[in-house]
Amino acid sequence: MSAKWTDQRLVRVDRSYDLERASDGFSRFGEYLRLNASLFRDAWRDEPAPVKDPAEFAVHAWRVATSPVMAPGYVRCRPDLHGVTLHRDDYDHALYAEVRVPLRHHHLYAGEKKFPYAWQDWEAERYDAPFPELEEPRETKRPAVLASAVVRVPGGEWSGLVTPSAYEGRTLTNEAMETVSIVVQYVNEDAGPIVERLLS
């Protein structure tokens, strides 16, 4: 991956790894799309047809492109975050994204308020990394305060999302790649500054 993580880059596509690990010589992501082909068929039609809603297509493509369906994913999430997911509103089906952000104790301090030293925090394997992966503490005999925030950004105005023309094959793979690349751009643009401010 050529693009490095930054304070506002939360997600990125790893096309090089995807191509290198593709058993068909084209895309590992495409193989996972094939295994999850039912997600991309219109459930309301008797004859096989692709879903027609770009938001629905984006949600399904993103789900397949990210962990835990693909591990490592076609879309990678910054290591210090606990996931970036896409959803459609239950009421009007509008698209939105959620970023799960672990908050370490120093992010929660206000004025003189500090937690006792004995209270455990999120742990990192490597503290020298700029965005270390944060995990629950292994010790269970001491209290732990493990806080996190959900940053939600609307995607109803995101332009360029693909209306799919296929529910399988190379065309599905190309359209899914295009859609998740667009979502990556918008998530970084819209949620990136919020996450940066939250963690500053």
Side-chain angles (χ1 to χ4, degrees), residues 17 28 32 66-74:
Y17 184 92
R28 176 172 166 264
Y32 280 81
T66 53
S67 180
V69 175
M70 285 188 74
Y74 177 70

Side-chain angles (χ1 to χ4, degrees), residues 69-159:
V69 175
M70 285 188 74
Y74 177 70
V75 172
R76 305 290 180 91
C77 184
R78 207 173 71 189
D80 62 318
L81 304 176
H82 282 179
V84 178
T85 54
L86 280 191
H87 308 270
R88 288 195 307 160
D89 185 271
D90 291 337
Y91 178 68
D92 63 2
H93 305 297
L95 187 67
Y96 64 92
E98 288 187 344
V99 183
R100 301 197 172 275
V101 186
L103 301 176
R104 307 201 69 195
H105 289 179
H106 66 272
H107 296 125
L108 306 176
Y109 295 159
E112 297 299 314
K113 173 185 167 185
K114 291 189 176 181
F115 296 149
Y117 180 76
W119 291 5
Q120 297 183 90
D121 197 354
W122 295 106
E123 292 183 347
E125 288 289 335
R126 292 183 52 199
Y127 286 97
D128 59 335
F131 301 100
E133 183 175 350
L134 300 176
E135 301 175 343
E136 294 184 11
R138 297 180 181 89
E139 186 180 337
T140 58
K141 295 180 180 178
R142 288 192 295 134
V145 175
L146 306 175
S148 61
V150 175
V151 173
R152 180 180 293 174
V153 291
E157 300 301 317
W158 292 352
S159 62

Side-chain angles (χ1 to χ4, degrees), residues 11-32:
V11 286
R12 64 188 182 191
V13 168
D14 190 351
R15 178 63 180 133
S16 297
Y17 184 92
D18 183 67
L19 181 59
E20 290 168 5
R21 300 303 176 96
S23 62
D24 65 356
F26 179 67
S27 173
R28 176 172 166 264
F29 179 34
E31 297 167 30
Y32 280 81

